[in-house]
Amino acid sequence: EAQVTQNPRYLITVTGKKLTVTCSQNMNHEYMSWYRQDPGLGLRQIYYSMNVEVTDKGDVPEGYKVSRKEKRNFPLILESPSPNQTSLYFCASSLGLSAGDTQYFGPGTRLTVL
Amino acid sequence: GQQVMQIPQYQHVQEGEDFTTYCNSSTTLSNIQWYKQRPGGHPVFLIQLVKSGEVKKQKRLTFQFGEAKKNSSLHITATQTTDVGTYFCAGPAGGYQKVTFGIGTKLQVIP
C-alpha cells in the first residue's frame, strides 16, 4: 500500500531534550516536506527536500533541522525543543512539485513540549 | 512573501444547505490544490486546478480557478454530514518548490 508513515504518533517531552520524528514514504517520491499545524494558522511549511541531499527552508524553519540521506526517509530533528514547538506535525511527499503533483500526507505526530 | 488568504475560517450549515469557501493569493499561482482534513485526520488531496477560469466538478463539489489565477473557490451543493472537516487551498510559491496553504475553512454540518 502506497503510504507515508510517521513515528512516533504522539510524543510528550521536556524543554531541551533532543528528539527526532521519522518520516518514510514507499512511493519513490522525489519531493518531501514537513508542516506544522496550529489552530488559526493552518499548515505552515517547515522544510522541504527536492531530492536526496537537497533540502531547503520553508516558512517556519527556526528550531528545526532535517536530513535527506535516502530518498524514502526525511526525519525532522528538534535539537533543543521549546514549548512553542508544541504542535501537530505532518510529513508529506509528492512525485514532484509541478502541475498534477499531489501531496500525500502522513498520519501526523502530535508533539507536546513541557 | 506569498500569502494565501482563505475565508471564512468557520462555517456552520444545516444539512442540505450549500457551502462555499474562498481562497485568494497575493500573487499569481501556476496551479492551486484543494485538500480536505477530517477531524483527527490528515489532509487528503481533492483536486488540482491549473488553467485560468478552470471549473472542475466532483459529484457535489465544484472547484473554480479565477481568470487571473489569483483566486479559487470550492462549492459544496446540498451538504451532508460526511462533508464535515477542514478544507484547505494550497499553492506553490518561491519558485514552485515551496508550498503555501490557506488557514483552512472548518465546516460543521448540523443534521
Side-chain angles (χ1 to χ4, degrees), chain B residues 5-11 19-24 103-105:
Chain B
M5 309 298 290
Q6 193 173 349
I7 58 169
Q9 194 169 348
Y10 302 96
Q11 185 81 58
F19 159 77
T20 304
T21 174
Y22 301 91
C23 190
N24 290 285
I103 65 168
T105 297

Side-chain angles (χ1 to χ4, degrees), chain A residues 5-11 13 18-24 32-35 46 64-67 73-79 81 85 87-91 107-113:
Chain A
T5 56
Q6 292 178 231
N7 283 291
R9 295 289 314 279
Y10 303 91
L11 179 60
T13 189
K18 181 180 178 180
L19 67 91
T20 300
V21 184
T22 64
C23 173
S24 184
M32 297 186 74
S33 182
W34 276 102
Y35 297 89
I46 303 170
Y64 305 94
K65 286 176 58 178
V66 293
S67 68
N73 296 322
F74 190 45
L76 179 70
I77 303 154
L78 284 71
E79 294 269 1
Q85 292 179 297
S87 188
L88 178 58
Y89 291 87
F90 288 103
C91 180
T109 296
R110 187 166 292 281
L111 172 65
T112 301
V113 183

Side-chain angles (χ1 to χ4, degrees), chain A residues 99, chain B residues 2-5 23-34 48-54 64-73 89-94 96 98-102:
Chain B
Q2 175 181 296
Q3 292 187 355
V4 176
M5 309 298 290
C23 190
N24 290 285
S25 171
S26 58
T27 59
T28 301
L29 299 169
S30 61
N31 64 77
I32 194 161
Q33 299 183 350
W34 285 92
Q48 177 154 302
L49 305 171
V50 179
K51 299 177 184 175
S52 169
E54 189 170 16
Q64 294 189 343
F65 201 9
E67 294 290 341
K69 300 183 76 172
K70 295 180 73 173
N71 58 74
S72 181
S73 65
C89 60
Y96 310 115
K98 294 169 67 171
V99 179
T100 299
F101 277 76

